[in-house]
């Protein structure tokens, strides 16, 4: 099936053009956009205010990318829900729904698998299968919303894959998800995580979007980061920090630095001191994550004492920091684990 004939990935003007080729009136495109985006229609048969002949003509020429729930795990600890979604070609991706005081956040995937090969992440263990199209990213939101019967208020692109490695599709997804006629999720409620693709960070800065850029840092120096994240060998910390500075200046938005703490690897007081020095003067916030254990890699998360000491050193250095609340630890909620188990 051709991506250019997939309807949920189309912007309103593209839908209008597509329908004009079928001699349908312009108002039909507005109805169709509402069905696809707001109502989350999975088939043409659901579009009851379109005539049967119109639905048949649409089905002959176009398709709607499915995103179905293959598996669902619910945490007995905190109610976090982990999904394994199945796509039209049998590929699977993960999503995680997390409940907070301010609403429900859904972590979604941008790729099936990943080619960044970070040492602590299960997503990259099998490599990259393919990029997701915008409809498949939207489909994760729509499927979770339908299953939970709640409004998804916040989106984080922190699931499987590197979003900026799928730049064109992700950018279109962001514009569709925030469209007033669609899900209408404010870009200020969307976070995009990157391992540090410097040219794409600069490109994203030029888009002047209102989202939060989260940079997966996980180390205060090149030696440790290159061991954990191969991407650092291509764009070392100096280049990455310069790009983050350019992004913050261009957008006026602070950078969120993700830092997963692993025992005996990157959680020492010396590492905390280095990190504070690295980020001094940057418009930023550090999100500390007690690392999840990935059995295949032998990595273990830091203990509470190490985490608390790390926080104290960063705060003493004037770096804003919070510790992410661990959710879904009893359901393999860390990225890539459920897909790999299913494989």
């Amino acid at each position: 099936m051709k991506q250019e004939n997939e309807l949920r990935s189309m912007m309103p003007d593209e839908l209008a053009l597509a329908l004009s080729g079928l001699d349908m009136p312009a108002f039909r495109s507005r109805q169709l956009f509402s069905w696809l985006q707001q109502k989350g229609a999975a088939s043409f048969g659901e579009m009851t205010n379109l005539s049967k002949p119109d639905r048949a003509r649409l089905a002959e020429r176009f398709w709607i990318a499915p995103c179905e729930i293959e598996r669902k795990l619910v945490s007995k600890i905190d109610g976090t829900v982990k999904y394994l979604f199945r796509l039209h070609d049998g590929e699977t991706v993960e999503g995680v729904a997390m409940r907070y005081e301010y609403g429900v956040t859904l972590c979604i995937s941008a790729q099936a698998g990943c080619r960044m090969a970070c040492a602590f992440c299960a997503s990259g263990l099998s490599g990259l299968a393919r990029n997701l199209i915008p409809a498949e990213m939207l489909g994760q939101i729509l499927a979770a919303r339908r299953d939970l019967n709640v409004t998804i208020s916040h989106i984080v692109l922190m699931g499987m894959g590197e979003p900026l490695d799928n730049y064109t599709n992700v950018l279109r997804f962001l514009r569709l998800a925030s469209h007033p006629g669609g899900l209408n999720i404010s870009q200020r409620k969307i976070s995009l995580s990157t391992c540090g693709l410097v040219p794409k960070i600069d490109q994203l800065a030029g888009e002047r979007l209102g989202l939060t850029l989260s940079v997966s840092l996980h180390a205060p120096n090149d030696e440790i980061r290159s061991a954990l994240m191969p991407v650092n060998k291509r764009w070392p910390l100096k280049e990455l920090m310069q790009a983050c500075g350019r992004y913050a200046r261009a957008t006026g938005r602070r950078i969120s630095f993700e830092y997963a703490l692993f025992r005996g690897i990157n959680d020492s007081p010396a590492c905390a001191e280095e990190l504070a020095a690295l980020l001094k003067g940057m418009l930023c916030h550090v999100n500390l994550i007690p690392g999840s254990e990935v059995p295949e890699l032998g990595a273990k998360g830091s203990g509470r004492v190490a985490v608390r000491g790390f926080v104290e050193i960063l705060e003493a250095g004037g770096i804003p920091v919070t510790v992410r609340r661990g959710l879904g630890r009893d359901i393999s909620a860390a990225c890539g684990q459920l897909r790999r188990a299913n494989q």
Side-chain angles (χ1 to χ4, degrees):
M1 290 181 278
K2 296 181 178 179
Q3 181 175 345
E4 57 265 30
N5 291 335
E6 200 287 316
L7 289 179
R8 207 186 311 272
S9 297
M10 293 187 184
M11 298 297 292
D13 58 333
E14 295 168 330
L15 277 176
L17 183 61
L19 266 59
S20 69
L22 297 178
D23 293 324
M24 292 186 186
F27 73 87
R28 288 288 187 220
S29 67
R30 294 190 291 273
Q31 291 176 319
L32 187 56
F33 189 76
S34 176
W35 276 110
L36 293 167
Q37 304 295 334
Q38 287 184 339
K39 300 173 184 177
S43 69
F44 295 109
E46 298 176 34
M47 302 176 184
T48 51
N49 60 350
L50 274 66
S51 69
K52 286 186 178 180
D54 282 350
R55 282 180 270 168
R57 284 193 292 165
L58 285 167
E60 287 176 3
R61 186 173 297 188
F62 302 103
W63 64 292
I64 303 170
C67 181
E68 300 174 351
I69 298 172
E70 174 84 0
R71 290 188 65 190
K72 174 184 175 182
L73 302 176
V74 182
S75 171
K76 295 179 181 179
I77 300 172
D78 49 49
T80 295
V81 181
K82 180 147 192 179
Y83 293 104
L84 185 70
F85 298 111
R86 182 166 295 276
L87 308 178
H88 73 92
D89 58 355
E91 282 294 344
T92 54
V93 297
E94 297 178 0
V96 181
M98 299 161 285
R99 298 178 185 273
Y100 295 96
E101 292 181 0
Y102 54 75
V104 177
T105 292
L106 185 69
C107 178
I108 68 168
S109 298
Q111 296 178 311
C114 185
R115 62 177 174 179
M116 297 301 139
C118 296
F120 50 82
C121 181
S123 292
L125 289 174
S126 300
L128 175 66
R130 68 171 175 86
N131 287 328
L132 268 58
I133 63 174
E136 292 169 328
M137 289 176 256
L138 291 164
Q140 296 169 64
I141 303 172
L142 297 169
R145 184 184 71 177
R146 186 165 51 247
D147 178 63
L148 298 174
N149 194 29
V150 297
T151 298
I152 306 296
S153 60
H154 292 68
I155 301 297
V156 290
L157 282 150
M158 294 182 183
M160 291 170 51
E162 162 57 58
L164 296 187
D165 191 36
N166 186 17
Y167 188 89
T168 301
N169 284 321
V170 166
L171 188 64
R172 178 176 286 257
F173 158 76
L174 292 169
R175 299 197 188 284
L176 284 166
S178 59
H179 194 284
L183 292 173
N184 196 26
I185 299 173
S186 168
Q187 289 183 3
R188 293 185 179 274
K189 296 181 179 180
I190 300 176
S191 295
L192 182 151
S193 178
T194 178
C195 66
L197 307 188
V198 166
K200 295 300 183 182
I201 291 174
D202 285 330
Q203 189 175 351
L204 188 66
E207 307 287 353
R208 299 295 197 275
L209 301 177
L211 56 76
T212 295
L213 179 66
S214 295
V215 176
S216 295
L217 197 58
H218 309 310
N221 59 55
D222 285 323
E223 181 181 0
I224 298 175
R225 194 165 194 267
S226 292
L228 292 175
M229 307 175 70
V231 69
N232 195 71
K233 298 173 185 176
R234 177 64 183 86
W235 294 290
L237 276 174
K238 182 179 180 180
E239 293 183 39
L240 177 58
M241 289 299 104
Q242 290 172 343
C244 289
R246 292 192 294 270
Y247 185 93
R249 289 191 294 273
T251 64
R253 305 278 293 167
R254 71 178 184 175
I255 307 287
S256 177
F257 287 105
E258 308 290 314
Y259 195 106
L261 288 161
F262 294 102
R263 193 178 307 170
I265 297 174
N266 64 351
D267 65 346
S268 69
C271 284
E273 296 282 0
E274 275 191 273
L275 183 61
L278 180 70
L279 301 182
K280 187 175 182 179
M282 176 79 69
L283 181 61
C284 71
H285 174 270
V286 173
N287 195 4
L288 285 181
I289 310 159
S292 298
E293 183 174 354
V294 181
E296 297 92 337
L297 301 171
K300 294 186 177 181
S302 301
R304 291 183 179 179
V305 173
V307 173
R308 185 163 56 249
F310 211 93
V311 169
E312 290 173 356
I313 291 172
L314 290 181
E315 289 180 338
I319 307 298
V321 56
T322 56
V323 178
R324 182 186 295 178
R325 183 161 60 102
L327 297 175
R329 291 188 176 272
D330 59 327
I331 55 170
S332 297
C335 190
Q337 293 179 334
L338 182 56
R339 178 177 184 262
R340 185 164 174 81
N342 194 68
Q343 288 176 325

